[in-house]
Amino acid sequence: MTAHILLVEDEVKLARFIELELGSEGYRVSVAHDGMAGLSLAREFNPDLAILDWMLPGLTGVELCRRLRATGSKVPVILLTARDEVSDRVAGLDAGADDYVVKPFSIEELLARIRAHLRRTQEPDEDVLQFEDLSLNRRTRQVYRGKRSLELTAKEFDLLEYLLSHPRQVYTRDQILETVWGYDFMGDSNIIEVYIRYLRLKLEEQGEKRLIHTVRGVGYALREPNL
Ligand code: CA
């Protein structure tokens, strides 16, 4: 089945270029050049993936993403951002975006991200959560970093499962506390730091790159090592 991609980009030349490249990869593409038109297109045909430029006339890509999520849409969203907007990326992730591509980007990079996100949403096995070389099986409770099996305690497993449920999403300390330890947890909230440290030690035992990243003043996220 051909994936149908929504592209919202106000730079007409760039939009045309991306549209042609995606088309030659076999994707169906619908293009809008402003936020409101993008929103109505999204509602019209329910895309398999959306590529949204951050700065758009009418409605920003972030706001558009937020509105899509408000309607319950789980469509994978890739934001295109200018380099000076990168520092705002937490705002985009909070709005429910799944990924970022920083302009100027190579088309190969964008295509690779698209393939990765489409693969994930078409993944039939919900029991297995994967990110980079990390995989976690909810049913068998086995966790692997590459080929290496990890021995996790019950709480470490729960914490990692939560972070893995939405890679790149930033979870606040309160969200983590409520979900992993329970709303009525009365202990020391430093417990999160302690468990993050345990998890990192186990995940990086063989010198592997860091996947659990601290987002200063906010919380934690699972991210690519280079971000
Ligand atoms: Ca723009």
Side-chain angles (χ1 to χ4, degrees):
M1 211 184 72
T2 315
H4 194 167
I5 296 176
L6 171 67
L7 170 64
V8 188
E9 167 60 75
D10 60 319
E11 290 170 51
V12 176
K13 269 186 173 168
L14 178 61
R16 183 71 188 138
F17 169 70
I18 296 172
E19 182 186 11
L20 288 172
E21 291 287 336
L22 294 182
S24 72
E25 292 293 312
Y27 297 116
R28 282 205 295 149
V29 189
S30 295
V31 182
H33 297 116
D34 68 79
M36 290 312 292
L39 185 62
S40 53
L41 263 185
R43 286 177 174 161
E44 212 170 284
F45 77 86
N46 194 20
D48 297 305
L49 182 140
I51 302 167
L52 311 176
D53 186 31
W54 185 301
M55 292 307 291
L56 290 167
L59 197 62
T60 66
V62 172
E63 190 51 37
L64 174 47
C65 181
R66 203 187 305 279
R67 296 216 192 172
L68 287 174
R69 293 293 181 245
T71 64
S73 169
K74 291 186 163 51
V75 61
V77 170
I78 299 174
L79 280 175
L80 304 180
T81 74
R83 193 159 292 279
D84 57 358
E85 292 154 4
V86 171
S87 59
D88 288 337
R89 65 179 155 214
V90 171
L93 292 168
D94 278 348
D98 298 276
D99 208 350
Y100 280 88
V101 175
V102 177
K103 292 179 180 177
F105 53 85
S106 73
I107 193 69
E108 286 75 20
E109 182 188 357
L110 181 62
L111 290 171
R113 303 286 182 96
I114 291 170
R115 279 193 299 273
H117 286 286
L118 288 175
R119 201 160 47 228
R120 209 173 65 222
T121 53
Q122 288 160 359
E123 178 77 69
D125 190 359
E126 290 286 325
D127 286 337
V128 179
L129 301 177
Q130 273 183 309
F131 180 69
E132 296 283 309
D133 60 349
L134 188 60
S135 79
L136 176 149
N137 189 312
R138 285 171 153 154
R139 213 161 29 79
T140 65
R141 297 184 76 84
Q142 285 172 304
V143 180
Y144 285 92
R145 179 93 201 242
K147 288 188 163 58
R148 188 164 66 84
S149 172
L150 305 183
E151 296 284 336
L152 303 185
T153 65
K155 271 286 174 261
E156 289 166 0
F157 183 93
D158 293 347
L159 176 57
L160 185 62
E161 180 185 15
Y162 187 46
L163 295 173
L164 258 172
S165 62
H166 291 95
R168 302 187 191 84
Q169 181 166 322
V170 180
Y171 289 105
T172 66
R173 302 173 75 263
D174 284 346
Q175 285 173 322
I176 293 172
L177 208 56
E178 283 181 28
T179 307
V180 179
W181 275 271
Y183 190 71
D184 52 359
F185 178 74
M186 298 299 283
D188 188 343
S189 70
N190 283 332
I191 193 150
I192 298 174
E193 281 69 45
V194 173
Y195 273 83
I196 291 280
R197 196 157 64 234
Y198 290 160
L199 268 182
R200 281 175 174 161
L201 282 173
K202 292 185 178 181
L203 292 175
E204 301 164 13
E205 200 185 332
Q206 307 286 327
E208 291 100 332
K209 293 259 169 59
R210 177 149 296 181
L211 293 178
I212 300 175
H213 293 261
T214 305
V215 181
R216 209 174 290 275
V218 186
Y220 297 95
L222 213 59
R223 286 181 181 161
E224 287 85 352
N226 59 348
L227 278 180

